[in-house]
Amino acid sequence: MSAQPETFPTPAALPRRRDEPESGPGLRAPELVDLVTCPDLSEVEARMLALAGPTDRAGRMAREHLATGGKRLRARLALAAATALGAPRDAAIAWATAVELLHNATLVHDDIQDGDTARRGKPTVWARHGVAQGINVGDLFLMLPFLALAEIPGDARAELSPILAAHAVQTVRGQIDELELLDREALDDDAYVGAIVGKTGALLALPVVGAAVLSGRSLGQARRLGEAFMPLGLLFQLQDDLLDLYGDKGRQRPGCDLYEGKVSALVVAHLARRPADRAWLLDLLRRPRDQTPEAEVRRAIAAFADSSAVDDVLARIRRLAATPDQDLALAEEPSLRLIASHIATLAVAPIRHLFEDLRA
């Protein structure tokens, strides 16, 4: 059974505040690019399934995870960036496969760490097969990307392997830092942003760095282009933090991040405005999930709105959405800048209703 990715919609323009000018960077709907049409994505899907293996227990579990689908954003980004920069098609497909497999390794491990029993309406690997096998499948997905690179000619493969490993390391370090925010009582903006940029930004920069290397750019140029996509990782996380309270993440109830003891952007923004609530929020976040009163979670949700923490996070999202049009490296690559702008609008799409509420 092949994995069926979710629909990848074309986003509309970001909504504007009433006090905002009619034009400005990052606030227009981009033209259609290969990020949406992505004709080679089916080949990436086929290669992932082939590398997972069809018959043994490991292959079956890996295929079950891939069959949960997803938008395959990182694969799409690798393919679109390769097209924009002029990289060879076959090498781009192999690179997109490697990047997407690495991302799926993080998803399998994240499900275990977060205690999530379902992903896109289907049981997670650990929920179906146990924590130990979930760890094994995540480890398998960590190794498969290097097999995917075997399809790339030798010189380029030699350059891409350490790039892949370095971004994987950066992602793991960011995940470690995020999980320690609560233990260290690091509820400030610098600690939160540092962890999130490492965790999410590295895997959005990676597809672009590799595509640039395959297109013949120098490693320095490739890194600069990849760095331009790092803020978009923070943008996605801020959206995810808001979606946990004010949207549909496919979970049982709003506030799951609070039940799980996650330090979110809303916690950080609220405490920046109301530091006196620090002890109360720390107590709430430290409680075991099954001992967290729903009334306290609702109190926190109401407090985030009352303190304007929600508005602060939305304002930051708007600033981050404008960064592609302001990045000097992307100014030299207009097609790549268009892709970055497109990703920014896609990131905001699930919480568009919150911006609309500001206009009411």
Side-chain angles (χ1 to χ4, degrees):
M1 179 175 62
S2 63
Q4 295 298 322
E6 297 170 0
T7 301
F8 201 75
T10 303
L14 294 179
R16 308 181 192 281
R17 288 178 182 265
R18 285 173 294 181
D19 58 352
E20 205 170 46
E22 286 300 315
S23 62
L27 296 176
R28 64 183 184 280
E31 301 170 14
L32 289 176
V33 292
D34 280 349
L35 191 69
V36 173
T37 58
C38 214
D40 293 324
L41 187 62
S42 61
E43 192 162 343
V44 172
E45 295 282 353
R47 291 194 185 189
M48 288 197 295
L49 291 171
L51 287 167
T55 56
D56 63 353
R57 181 77 186 278
R60 290 196 301 272
M61 291 189 294
R63 280 171 165 254
E64 284 176 5
H65 170 76
L66 291 174
T68 63
K71 295 182 176 65
R72 307 296 195 229
L73 174 62
R74 288 146 195 86
R76 290 175 182 274
L77 175 55
L79 293 170
T83 299
L85 298 174
R89 176 181 178 274
D90 288 347
I93 291 171
W95 177 243
T97 302
V99 169
E100 192 62 38
L101 286 167
L102 176 59
H103 173 60
N104 277 272
T106 70
L107 296 181
V108 173
H109 285 157
D110 278 353
D111 287 338
I112 297 170
Q113 293 169 2
D114 296 344
D116 286 338
T117 58
R119 177 169 289 279
R120 305 182 190 97
K122 299 179 181 179
T124 53
V125 176
W126 78 267
R128 177 173 289 178
H129 302 286
V131 171
Q133 293 289 39
I135 293 172
N136 286 333
V137 172
D139 290 346
L140 177 65
F141 278 123
L142 284 174
M143 299 300 106
L144 291 179
F146 295 96
L147 295 181
L149 294 185
E151 301 295 323
I152 297 176
D155 290 345
R157 182 171 67 248
E159 195 166 7
L160 290 175
S161 290
I163 291 172
L164 184 71
H167 283 75
V169 167
Q170 188 176 357
T171 300
V172 173
R173 290 184 183 279
Q175 179 75 351
I176 290 171
D177 289 344
E178 185 191 28
L179 291 176
E180 288 194 339
L181 290 176
L182 183 60
D183 290 341
R184 295 190 292 112
E185 298 186 6
L187 309 183
D188 60 283
D189 189 71
D190 287 345
Y192 173 82
V193 171
I196 297 306
V197 168
K199 172 188 170 183
T200 62
L203 285 187
L204 280 178
L206 177 62
V208 178
V209 176
V213 168
L214 289 173
S215 70
R217 269 65 169 183
S218 70
L219 184 57
Q221 289 175 309
R223 285 175 174 165
R224 284 192 294 275
L225 291 173
E227 286 170 0
F229 284 74
M230 293 285 282
L232 299 180
L234 178 59
L235 174 59
F236 270 101
Q237 186 61 57
L238 295 180
Q239 173 253 87
D240 191 74
D241 289 352
L242 283 170
L243 201 63
D244 181 61
L245 301 184
Y246 304 106
D248 182 12
K249 286 177 66 173
R251 290 177 164 183
Q252 296 176 343
R253 54 189 172 180
C256 282
D257 288 348
L258 292 168
Y259 284 104
E260 292 168 7
K262 284 188 176 182
V263 177
S264 72
L266 290 162
V267 169
V268 172
H270 177 77
L271 291 179
R273 287 185 173 268
R274 296 187 179 174
D277 284 349
R278 181 182 178 87
W280 162 59
L281 276 177
L282 279 171
D283 178 68
L284 171 62
L285 294 172
R286 283 176 172 152
R287 294 190 183 207
R289 185 194 301 223
D290 58 356
Q291 297 177 26
T292 302
E294 182 179 352
E296 285 297 285
V297 172
R298 292 187 178 280
R299 175 188 172 191
I301 294 173
F304 296 157
D306 184 62
S307 69
S308 295
V310 174
D311 292 341
D312 290 344
V313 174
L314 286 170
R316 188 172 209 165
I317 285 173
R318 295 183 67 82
R319 292 194 298 272
L320 286 169
T323 56
D325 285 334
Q326 301 167 355
D327 190 275
L328 294 179
L330 291 182
E332 300 176 1
E333 302 285 355
S335 296
L336 200 60
R337 182 175 61 187
L338 187 64
I339 292 168
S341 181
H342 199 165
I343 290 176
T345 59
L346 285 168
V348 174
I351 55 170
R352 193 179 314 282
H353 60 284
L354 297 179
F355 289 98
E356 294 293 341
D357 289 345
L358 290 177
R359 300 171 64 186

